[in-house]
């Protein structure tokens, strides 16, 4: 499918008035493998020679960034600076400057990768009889640009001229470099067509000059996803970012819904399924695996992309579910165990259906559509409905046993037909491996595989699998365990995405000596599932095509990074992810007719009646409790206050005890209904408190700190002054003490000041 961007490019290119096509260089014609341009400096700082002068990689990065800032201040008369002017600002010997500068150029060269799609655009332009030039705002000169990247272009000879800001001392950002191009090329604005990734300098500025433009960048939806990703992961990735970006830029969908699911497939599940497939293949060499058995429903996607990379491998799609394998473990001597399910949408009728019997008890029948979880709250004949059901199941034990024996035989026969051996492997999503354990209980010992695999496994999963050798793709370690718990207890978002339109296996029948799985197609997401599936799979396919073009090998993305990539979606969702995923319908895969939305209005109304900060703080202290009541509490919070979570994650001290102080302060502030305050304390706690005050439209009259006695200063665009100056022309005010440790001393000083100066100060503190 042709991308939206390529269609737009070709449409504009067909304009006969256009004589010259210009391309931006960085993040357009070339991508860096790493996440942020400045991360190159940290990689430079890892060099042994550089460490002689700067000790740590992050130390060099900081000094290199300030060197550029200082160079621009020193040369304010120039619109742009050169690499030489930047290195001139570093306080190291001249010889060292030259050597480190060359190290930086070598690393830039290694990290810059050609955008093959844009290379193709150059050829299209030449075929149409257009002249091709490059225009870039960059401190590198032409020779340096040719060294680090331009010589990698197969068609560099087709580029007529390079206009770079460091040489012309003019920039695209101010529009002057475009004017210089028009002058030197002797063309009118409408005869130039410029392509670039910067919304302002490559799009709005030239457009204002009547130059034709194509914004070659991300939508607001995708920009926000990357912003949230950076805040959450808070760590650079040194490779692969270019491939994810290019896969997204190949999006063919105009429709926002399809566009979103394509991008999600291309940027998140593409890399994950690519590495997962390679990991599974590596197991075949290590454990001599001859057959891969993917358990449906997630197994459909796992199998699809595994076969895409390894088409000659023998695979099976296994029709099995928690429901269909339940007869293996049912305890007929303890009917109470059957009632211990934790499903949110499982009704009493669903329970009887799962046991393959009908409700006959006239006392129970009127309640057949009640949730099983509510049965202990309903009384019948002086006992609970829960007890009534248990009594009925005991009474009907023989009926249940008959069906159970029949199903166990069918299950055994079904798995025998799959030709399972010790050289087989079962693959399931996770995270406890319940189905794997049940299969093991039914297979003859000689057929039980040596190992099995889960996409992810959590603490409970390790307990369940403690007697088996079950491997996990997503690694469980000290750093990743909190992310694994998030994914394994996720609000079914990933389960729905991976299950798509596939039906759930309920049980098995025998027809003409063949075992046939009986499956039920879910009624969930019926209006959107097929549209979503096409776009989502196209996104993953596009990623796979892109890695093939760039000859990407396995282990390109670390498994630790992929864990965080998935967990971010749940813990820090964008408003678009909340909108699209929150509207997912779910029936818990049990064939029930009871359907609920991942984020429903009742949950939003419930949280809205409380202080969001307090609920969030309680949630992070007891996630397990809230996960059952709220499938996705982060999405509920983001629905009410879209910026609440990102403001927490952007703060470096987001996990500190400051949050508890902030919650106590906000509780008092909210009760007061006041909207104007002074704040005493301009430190980290104030910086963390500020977004919450802004959310409440609270005006800060003055920011006060004792350090202002020596000299006034600024924090987050607020001038910090003394207590005396704040009350020069004011006799009364509300005042928040933004401190936890020194609150008592500060409060005493303020009260003393108020008494001595006859001021009325309402203090808000912990």
């Amino acid at each position: 499918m042709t991308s939206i961007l390529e269609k737009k490019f070709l449409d504009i290119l067909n304009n006969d008035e256009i004589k010259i096509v210009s391309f931006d260089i960085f993040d357009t014609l070339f991508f860096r493998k790493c996440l942020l341009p400045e991360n190159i400096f940290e990689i430079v700082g890892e060099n042994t020679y550089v460490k002689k002068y700067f000790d740590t990689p992050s130390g060099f990065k900081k000094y290199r960034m300030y060197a550029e800032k200082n160079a621009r201040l020193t040369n304010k008369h120039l619109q742009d600076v050169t690499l030489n002017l930047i290195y001139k600002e570093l306080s190291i010997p001249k010889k060292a400057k030259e050597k480190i500068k060359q190290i930086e150029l070598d690393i830039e060269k290694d990290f810059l990768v050609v955008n093959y799609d844009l290379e193709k655009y150059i050829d299209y332009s030449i075929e149409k009889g257009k002249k091709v030039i490059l225009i870039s705002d960059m401190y590198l000169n032409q020779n340096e640009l040719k060294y680090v990247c331009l010589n990698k272009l197969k068609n560099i000879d087709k580029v007529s001229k390079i206009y770079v800001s460091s040489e012309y001392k003019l920039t695209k950002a101010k529009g002057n470099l475009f004017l210089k191009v028009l002058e030197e090329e002797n063309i009118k604005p409408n005869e130039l067509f410029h392509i670039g990734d910067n919304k302002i300098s490559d799009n709005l500025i030239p457009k204002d000059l009547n130059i034709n433009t194509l914004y070659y960048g991300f939508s607001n939806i995708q920009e926000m996803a990357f912003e949230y990703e950076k805040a959450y992961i808070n760590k650079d990735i040194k490779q692969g970012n270019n491939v994810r970006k290019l896969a997204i830029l190949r999006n063919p969908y105009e429709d926002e819904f399809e566009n979103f699911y394509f991008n999600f497939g291309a940027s998140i599940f593409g890399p994950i399924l690519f590495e997962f497939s390679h990991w599974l293949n590596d197991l075949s060499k290590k454990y001599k695996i001859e057959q891969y058995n993917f358990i449906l429903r997630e197994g459909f996607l796992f199998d699809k992309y595994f076969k895409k990379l390894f088409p000659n491998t023998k695979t099976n799609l296994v029709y099995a579910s928690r429901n269909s394998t339940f007869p293996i473990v049912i305890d007929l001597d303890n009917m109470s165990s059957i009632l211990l399910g934790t499903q949110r949408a499982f009704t009493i009728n669903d329970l009887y259906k799962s046991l393959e019997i009908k409700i006959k008890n006239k006392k129970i029948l009127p309640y057949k559509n009640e949730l099983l979880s509510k049965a202990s709250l309903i009384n019948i004949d002086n006992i609970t409905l829960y007890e009534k059901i248990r009594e009925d199941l005991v009474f009907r034990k023989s009926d249940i046993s008959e069906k159970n024996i029949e199903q166990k035989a069918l299950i055994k026969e079904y798995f025998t037909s799959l030709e399972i051996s010790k050289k087989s492997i079962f693959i399931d999503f996770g995270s406890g491996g319940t189905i794997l354990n049940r299969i093991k209980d039914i297979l003859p010992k000689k057929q039980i595989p040596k190992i099995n695999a889960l996409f992810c496994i959590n603490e409970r999963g390790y307990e369940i699998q403690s007697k088996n050798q079950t491997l996990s793709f997503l690694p469980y370690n000290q750093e990743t365990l909190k992310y694994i718990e998030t994914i394994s207890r996720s609000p079914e978002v990933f389960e729905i995405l991976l299950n798509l339109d596939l039906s759930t296996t309920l049980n098995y029948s025998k027809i003409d000596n063949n075992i046939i799985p009986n499956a039920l197609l879910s009624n969930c997401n019926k209006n959107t599932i097929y549209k979503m599936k096409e776009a989502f799979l196209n996104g993953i396919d596009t990623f796979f095509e892109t890695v093939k073009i760039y000859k990407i090998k396995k282990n390109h993305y670390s498994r630790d990074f992929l864990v965080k990539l998935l967990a971010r979606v749940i813990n820090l969702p964008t408003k678009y992810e909340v909108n699209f995923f929150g509207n997912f319908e779910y029936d818990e895969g049990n064939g029930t007719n009871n359907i609920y939305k991942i984020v429903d209005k009742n949950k939003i109304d419930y949280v809205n009646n409380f202080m969001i900060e307090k609920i969030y703080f309680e949630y992070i202290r007891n996630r397990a409790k809230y996960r059952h009541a709220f499938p996705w509490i982060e999405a509920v919070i983001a629905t009410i206050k879209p910026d609440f979570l990102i403001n927490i994650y952007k703060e470096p001290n987001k996990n500190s005890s400051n949050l508890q102080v902030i919650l106590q302060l906000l509780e008092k502030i909210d009760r007061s209904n006041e909207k104007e305050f002074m704040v005493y304390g301009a430190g980290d706690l104030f910086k963390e408190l500020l977004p919450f005050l802004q959310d409440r439209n609270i005006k800060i009259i003055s920011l006060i700190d004792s350090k202002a006695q020596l000299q006034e200063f600024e924090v987050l665009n607020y001038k910090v002054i003394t207590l005396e100056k704040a009350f020069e022309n004011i006799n009364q005010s509300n005042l928040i003490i933004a401190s936890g440790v020194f609150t008592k001393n500060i409060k005493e000083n303020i009260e003393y000041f108020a008494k001595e100066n006859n001021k009325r100060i309402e203090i808000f503190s912990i």
Side-chain angles (χ1 to χ4, degrees), residues 607-632:
V607 173
N608 224 350
N609 289 329
F610 294 87
M611 190 169 81
I612 282 181
E613 294 83 3
K614 189 171 184 179
I615 281 189
Y616 181 72
F617 186 63
E618 287 176 1
Y619 159 65
I620 60 175
R621 287 191 302 181
N622 190 354
R623 292 176 189 266
K625 171 189 168 186
Y626 276 85
R627 273 283 181 237
H628 187 69
F630 293 88
W632 195 5

Side-chain angles (χ1 to χ4, degrees), residues 387-577:
E387 283 298 320
K388 198 75 176 172
I389 295 167
R390 195 188 68 79
E391 284 180 3
D392 188 48
L393 295 183
V394 170
F395 177 72
R396 300 185 64 187
K397 181 178 175 180
S398 59
D399 292 346
I400 298 168
S401 178
E402 185 182 331
K403 292 289 183 182
N404 188 55
I405 291 166
E406 180 186 319
Q407 273 302 306
K408 277 174 101 169
L410 292 172
I411 294 168
K412 188 172 183 178
E413 197 171 339
Y414 172 70
F415 279 96
T416 302
S417 72
L418 298 177
E419 299 179 351
I420 306 300
S421 72
K422 285 188 178 292
K423 291 186 178 181
S424 294
I425 186 173
F426 284 101
I427 302 102
D428 198 10
F429 181 79
S431 53
T434 301
I435 297 173
L436 298 182
N437 274 16
R438 292 176 181 179
I439 292 170
K440 184 182 175 183
D441 287 345
I442 202 74
L443 284 173
K445 197 169 184 179
K446 64 180 181 180
Q447 286 184 278
I448 297 172
K450 288 181 181 177
I451 64 157
N452 287 313
L454 292 172
F455 178 76
C456 69
I457 189 168
N458 61 3
E459 185 66 36
R460 177 177 161 273
Y462 277 110
E463 183 184 353
I464 294 170
Q465 298 299 320
S466 57
K467 294 182 180 178
N468 305 319
Q469 191 173 2
T470 302
L471 308 176
S472 172
F473 167 65
L474 295 184
Y476 190 93
N477 54 49
Q478 197 60 40
E479 186 184 354
T480 63
L481 62 90
K482 63 180 179 182
Y483 304 112
I484 293 287
E485 290 301 328
T486 291
I487 294 163
S488 62
R489 297 177 184 277
S490 83
E492 293 84 36
V493 167
F494 304 133
E495 189 174 331
I496 294 166
L497 271 173
L498 295 175
N499 288 344
L500 297 169
D501 60 333
L502 300 169
S503 52
T504 302
T505 306
L506 297 179
N507 48 41
Y508 306 88
S509 299
K510 192 167 187 176
I511 302 173
D512 298 328
N513 285 324
N514 294 315
I515 304 300
I516 308 296
N518 297 316
L520 180 71
L521 192 62
S522 172
N523 286 317
C524 299
N525 310 300
K526 289 180 81 170
N527 297 326
T528 57
I529 195 71
Y530 299 108
K531 190 178 177 183
M532 181 188 91
K533 177 183 178 180
E534 183 193 26
F536 180 56
L537 296 188
N538 276 336
I540 301 171
D541 287 337
T542 300
F543 177 84
F544 271 64
E545 288 160 15
T546 308
V547 294
K548 188 176 181 181
I549 291 167
Y550 283 89
K551 298 177 181 176
I552 300 300
K553 305 297 181 187
K554 65 182 181 181
N555 301 327
H556 202 70
Y557 302 93
S558 80
R559 286 153 66 193
D560 281 23
F561 166 70
L562 297 177
V563 173
K564 296 174 188 175
L565 199 62
L566 269 187
R568 193 280 304 164
V569 178
I570 305 304
N571 287 333
L572 184 59
T574 69
K575 63 182 179 182
Y576 302 103
E577 287 162 346

Side-chain angles (χ1 to χ4, degrees), residues 680 704 723 727 735-737 743-757 759 761-763:
Y680 194 109
I704 304 161
L723 183 64
F727 279 92
L735 187 147
I736 299 166
I737 298 178
T743 300
K744 186 179 178 184
N745 291 340
I746 294 170
K747 190 175 181 181
E748 286 173 356
N749 290 339
I750 293 169
E751 287 171 344
Y752 178 78
F753 169 84
K755 185 178 179 182
E756 289 295 304
N757 294 278
K759 305 290 185 182
I761 305 175
E762 182 73 25
I763 297 174

Side-chain angles (χ1 to χ4, degrees), residues 16-161:
D16 292 334
E17 289 183 347
I18 291 169
K19 294 180 179 178
I20 297 177
V21 181
S22 66
F23 293 87
D24 172 48
I25 297 175
F26 292 91
D27 294 316
T28 303
L29 198 52
F30 290 87
F31 289 132
R32 289 183 179 88
K33 298 175 191 174
C34 59
L35 200 59
L36 296 170
E38 60 265 28
N39 291 335
I40 290 291
F41 307 148
E42 190 146 354
I43 297 161
V44 173
E46 291 170 1
N47 182 276
T48 306
Y49 182 82
V50 179
K51 283 182 180 178
K52 287 182 183 179
Y53 296 92
F54 294 96
D55 187 35
T56 64
S58 55
F60 174 75
K61 177 183 174 180
K62 281 293 180 187
Y63 280 116
R64 171 61 178 79
M65 289 170 74
Y66 275 106
E68 183 173 340
K69 184 180 179 181
N70 293 336
R72 295 187 187 282
L73 289 170
T74 306
N75 301 278
K76 279 191 276 190
H77 60 291
L78 305 174
Q79 285 190 22
D80 209 351
V81 294
T82 63
L83 191 61
N84 285 337
L85 287 174
I86 291 168
Y87 268 81
K88 190 177 177 182
E89 296 291 329
L90 292 174
S91 300
I92 54 174
K94 187 177 179 182
K95 186 179 176 182
K97 288 178 186 178
E98 290 302 314
K99 188 158 184 179
I100 295 173
K101 185 172 68 174
Q102 187 57 48
I103 291 168
E104 180 179 326
L105 290 171
D106 290 341
I107 288 172
E108 276 280 23
K109 182 180 180 181
D110 185 49
F111 272 78
L112 281 163
V113 182
V114 178
N115 178 347
Y116 294 136
D117 285 0
L118 267 288
E119 198 173 51
K120 189 171 63 175
Y121 286 15
I122 291 175
D123 289 337
Y124 288 159
S125 302
I126 297 297
E127 287 166 13
K128 280 285 182 180
K130 318 290 184 185
K131 184 178 178 181
V132 172
I133 63 173
L134 308 181
I135 308 177
S136 179
D137 279 354
M138 186 58 177
Y139 48 73
L140 300 180
N141 61 37
Q142 283 199 51
N143 289 333
E144 290 163 343
L145 283 171
K146 285 177 181 176
Y147 176 75
V148 300
C149 61
L150 296 182
N151 286 338
K152 296 179 182 181
L153 284 170
K154 291 176 186 174
N155 47 14
I156 183 64
D157 57 309
K158 295 176 182 177
V159 176
S160 299
K161 192 162 183 178

Side-chain angles (χ1 to χ4, degrees), residues 317-450:
L317 285 175
V318 179
Y319 288 83
S321 67
R322 288 188 301 270
N323 228 34
S324 71
T325 57
F326 184 49
I328 297 171
V329 294
I330 190 170
D331 184 359
L332 296 176
D333 293 321
N334 180 14
M335 288 299 177
S336 294
S337 65
I338 299 170
L339 300 169
L340 295 177
T342 57
Q343 299 97 330
R344 297 182 187 96
F346 204 57
T347 65
I348 292 159
N349 196 45
D350 293 325
L351 170 67
Y352 278 77
K353 276 167 62 180
S354 71
L355 298 171
E356 295 196 70
I357 58 173
K358 291 183 179 179
I359 302 174
K360 294 180 179 178
N361 189 302
K362 292 180 180 179
K363 299 280 187 179
I364 297 172
L365 200 56
Y367 300 97
K368 67 177 184 178
N369 294 321
E370 284 287 347
L371 293 176
L372 181 59
S373 58
K374 300 281 178 67
S376 60
L377 305 175
I378 299 168
N379 288 311
I380 301 174
D381 297 338
N382 296 320
I383 64 168
T384 65
L385 177 58
Y386 176 94
E387 283 298 320
K388 198 75 176 172
I389 295 167
R390 195 188 68 79
E391 284 180 3
D392 188 48
L393 295 183
V394 170
F395 177 72
R396 300 185 64 187
K397 181 178 175 180
S398 59
D399 292 346
I400 298 168
S401 178
E402 185 182 331
K403 292 289 183 182
N404 188 55
I405 291 166
E406 180 186 319
Q407 273 302 306
K408 277 174 101 169
L410 292 172
I411 294 168
K412 188 172 183 178
E413 197 171 339
Y414 172 70
F415 279 96
T416 302
S417 72
L418 298 177
E419 299 179 351
I420 306 300
S421 72
K422 285 188 178 292
K423 291 186 178 181
S424 294
I425 186 173
F426 284 101
I427 302 102
D428 198 10
F429 181 79
S431 53
T434 301
I435 297 173
L436 298 182
N437 274 16
R438 292 176 181 179
I439 292 170
K440 184 182 175 183
D441 287 345
I442 202 74
L443 284 173
K445 197 169 184 179
K446 64 180 181 180
Q447 286 184 278
I448 297 172
K450 288 181 181 177

Side-chain angles (χ1 to χ4, degrees), residues 81-337:
V81 294
T82 63
L83 191 61
N84 285 337
L85 287 174
I86 291 168
Y87 268 81
K88 190 177 177 182
E89 296 291 329
L90 292 174
S91 300
I92 54 174
K94 187 177 179 182
K95 186 179 176 182
K97 288 178 186 178
E98 290 302 314
K99 188 158 184 179
I100 295 173
K101 185 172 68 174
Q102 187 57 48
I103 291 168
E104 180 179 326
L105 290 171
D106 290 341
I107 288 172
E108 276 280 23
K109 182 180 180 181
D110 185 49
F111 272 78
L112 281 163
V113 182
V114 178
N115 178 347
Y116 294 136
D117 285 0
L118 267 288
E119 198 173 51
K120 189 171 63 175
Y121 286 15
I122 291 175
D123 289 337
Y124 288 159
S125 302
I126 297 297
E127 287 166 13
K128 280 285 182 180
K130 318 290 184 185
K131 184 178 178 181
V132 172
I133 63 173
L134 308 181
I135 308 177
S136 179
D137 279 354
M138 186 58 177
Y139 48 73
L140 300 180
N141 61 37
Q142 283 199 51
N143 289 333
E144 290 163 343
L145 283 171
K146 285 177 181 176
Y147 176 75
V148 300
C149 61
L150 296 182
N151 286 338
K152 296 179 182 181
L153 284 170
K154 291 176 186 174
N155 47 14
I156 183 64
D157 57 309
K158 295 176 182 177
V159 176
S160 299
K161 192 162 183 178
I162 301 164
Y163 292 84
V164 59
S165 59
S166 60
E167 291 187 346
Y168 281 85
K169 304 300 182 285
L170 303 169
T171 63
K172 292 185 296 179
K174 291 187 180 294
N176 303 89
L177 190 55
F178 285 113
L179 293 174
K180 190 66 179 174
V181 170
L182 297 177
E183 179 192 325
E184 288 204 2
E185 298 293 338
N186 193 26
I187 56 171
K188 298 171 186 173
N190 64 310
E191 293 174 328
L192 178 63
F193 173 25
H194 179 70
I195 300 101
D197 73 295
N198 191 293
K199 284 182 178 177
I200 297 172
S201 60
D202 289 314
N203 190 34
L204 295 178
I205 298 288
K207 196 171 276 185
D208 283 345
L209 297 170
N210 293 320
I211 293 168
N212 300 286
T213 66
L214 173 64
Y215 168 60
Y216 188 80
F218 303 115
S219 66
N220 292 334
I221 294 177
Q222 192 56 49
E223 278 190 343
M224 183 177 284
F226 280 145
E227 179 196 346
Y228 278 42
E229 200 173 282
K230 280 185 277 187
Y232 184 82
I233 295 173
N234 197 25
K235 191 177 180 182
D236 186 32
I237 56 168
K238 292 183 180 178
Q239 58 182 16
N241 196 50
N242 58 312
V243 183
R244 292 177 69 213
K245 278 186 170 183
L246 188 55
I248 292 165
L249 290 168
R250 291 178 161 188
N251 195 322
Y253 296 103
E254 295 274 6
D255 177 74
E256 190 180 77
F257 179 91
E258 292 169 304
N259 187 288
F260 172 84
Y261 282 106
F262 177 95
N263 284 354
F264 201 80
S267 66
I268 293 182
F269 269 99
I272 286 169
L273 290 171
F274 175 78
E275 294 293 0
F276 183 44
S277 299
H278 278 289
W279 178 76
L280 288 173
N281 186 60
D282 286 346
L283 297 183
S284 69
K285 300 165 190 171
K286 191 173 180 180
Y287 296 99
K288 297 184 172 59
I289 295 166
E290 295 176 353
Q291 178 176 292
Y292 287 80
N293 302 286
F294 294 95
I295 297 174
L296 292 169
R297 295 185 280 171
E298 293 93 345
F300 166 77
L301 274 191
F302 294 164
D303 176 73
K304 175 181 170 68
Y305 290 101
F306 181 69
K307 292 285 278 188
K308 201 176 187 78
L309 292 176
F310 308 104
N312 297 322
T313 309
K314 187 178 178 183
T315 67
N316 268 331
L317 285 175
V318 179
Y319 288 83
S321 67
R322 288 188 301 270
N323 228 34
S324 71
T325 57
F326 184 49
I328 297 171
V329 294
I330 190 170
D331 184 359
L332 296 176
D333 293 321
N334 180 14
M335 288 299 177
S336 294
S337 65

